[in-house]
Amino acid sequence: DRKYITASYSMGVNYVSPNDLARAAVTVIADDKKHHNKVYTFSNSGPHLDKEIATSLAKFYGAQIEHIEIGFHDFQAVLKKRSLPDWLVDVMAGFERMKASGFEEKKAAYAHVKDIEKLIGGQPEDFDAYLANRSAMTRQELAGSAELVIDPSPGIDKLSVKDEDEAPVEGGGEGGEDEEKETAGGGEGGEEKDTSEGEEEKDTSGGGGGGEGEKPAGKGDLMASV
């Protein structure tokens, strides 16, 4: 089972999309004279509750995710059990403490949404819109072709991402073995080469001439903590 554990005491958070932050930064950098000595406060249009985030993540990853609300000290204990470094425990626990303060639910936390709207030229992304904008995501974030697996390490859930268009690393593809055989043989009409172990090693490591050379590493599986 996958769990989304928080210690915000059901307080909302005014999340700002990193895509919007990047677009706003580019706008300012591209015309720095226009924005010189100006201060902008970046916020979104309103807060989101943790249970809403869990629902959105479950839909995005195509997996059931249970939201569990616990106390602050219990949250710290959960993080420490995962053998996370102390500085990361402090940061993650501190974020939950900030959420629990309730400040993000006050109007002052999202009163400046016009700033980011002006810089990006439109409405900022909410959490669901951010998840829907896959073209701006890294491979770690993408889940369209991903297979969710549970890592055997205690307390660590991971996401295994496999490219659907990834070429097989080993032979076994259509005509794969025959192609390798022809290359080693020098091509059609060429002299038959000795396929002893020594020659095979030479062809494999050479990578030039008529040999196939060492196969480049495929994109492979990418493991990312979720």
Side-chain angles (χ1 to χ4, degrees):
D1 293 339
R2 308 186 74 80
K3 298 177 177 63
Y4 181 56
I5 302 175
T6 61
S8 64
Y9 296 94
S10 300
M11 295 294 183
V13 178
N14 184 14
Y15 292 101
V16 180
S17 166
N19 303 326
D20 291 335
L21 294 178
R23 292 166 62 191
V26 169
T27 299
V28 172
I29 294 171
D31 193 358
D32 58 334
K33 290 184 179 180
K34 179 180 178 181
H35 303 282
H36 185 64
N37 284 335
K38 291 188 177 180
V39 177
Y40 299 105
T41 301
F42 293 157
S43 66
N44 214 317
S45 56
H48 288 278
L49 300 177
D50 287 334
K51 63 180 181 181
E52 297 171 345
I53 299 302
T55 299
S56 296
L57 290 174
K59 182 179 178 181
F60 178 73
Y61 285 111
Q64 185 175 356
I65 298 178
E66 179 186 3
H67 173 235
I68 299 177
E69 183 73 36
I70 60 178
F72 176 78
H73 296 293
D74 291 334
F75 185 81
Q76 282 184 313
V78 168
L79 296 179
K80 291 178 180 179
K81 284 182 180 179
R82 296 191 174 194
S83 300
L84 298 175
D86 290 341
W87 69 265
L88 185 55
V89 172
D90 291 340
V91 169
M92 296 180 69
F95 182 57
E96 293 303 307
R97 174 172 281 173
M98 181 186 71
K99 289 161 61 180
S101 71
F103 174 78
E104 294 282 319
E105 290 198 341
K106 297 180 180 179
K107 267 194 172 182
Y110 52 93
H112 299 279
V113 66
K114 295 294 182 182
D115 284 0
I116 200 165
E117 289 177 352
K118 177 182 177 181
L119 292 174
I120 68 176
Q123 294 291 321
E125 292 181 338
D126 62 13
F127 200 84
D128 287 326
Y130 161 72
L131 292 177
N133 190 4
R134 300 190 177 210
S135 63
M137 290 186 177
T138 63
R139 289 187 61 204
Q140 290 94 330
E141 295 172 294
L142 286 172
S145 59
E147 175 185 359
L148 289 170
V149 296
I150 302 299
D151 187 89
S153 304
I156 300 179
D157 294 350
K158 290 188 177 180
L159 173 67
S160 174
V161 179
K162 297 182 179 180
D163 291 293
E164 293 176 345
D165 58 347
E166 180 183 348
V169 176
E170 300 180 355
E174 186 175 349
E177 293 184 358
D178 292 339
E179 289 178 4
E180 291 184 6
K181 190 174 182 181
E182 286 183 12
T183 303
E188 185 177 352
E191 293 184 2
E192 185 175 356
K193 289 185 178 181
D194 183 7
T195 57
S196 65
E197 183 178 353
E199 282 292 334
E200 286 180 352
E201 291 180 359
K202 184 178 180 181
D203 289 344
T204 301
S205 60
E212 183 180 359
E214 184 177 358
K215 290 191 174 185
K219 293 179 182 177
D221 293 350
L222 179 63
M223 302 297 290
S225 297
V226 178

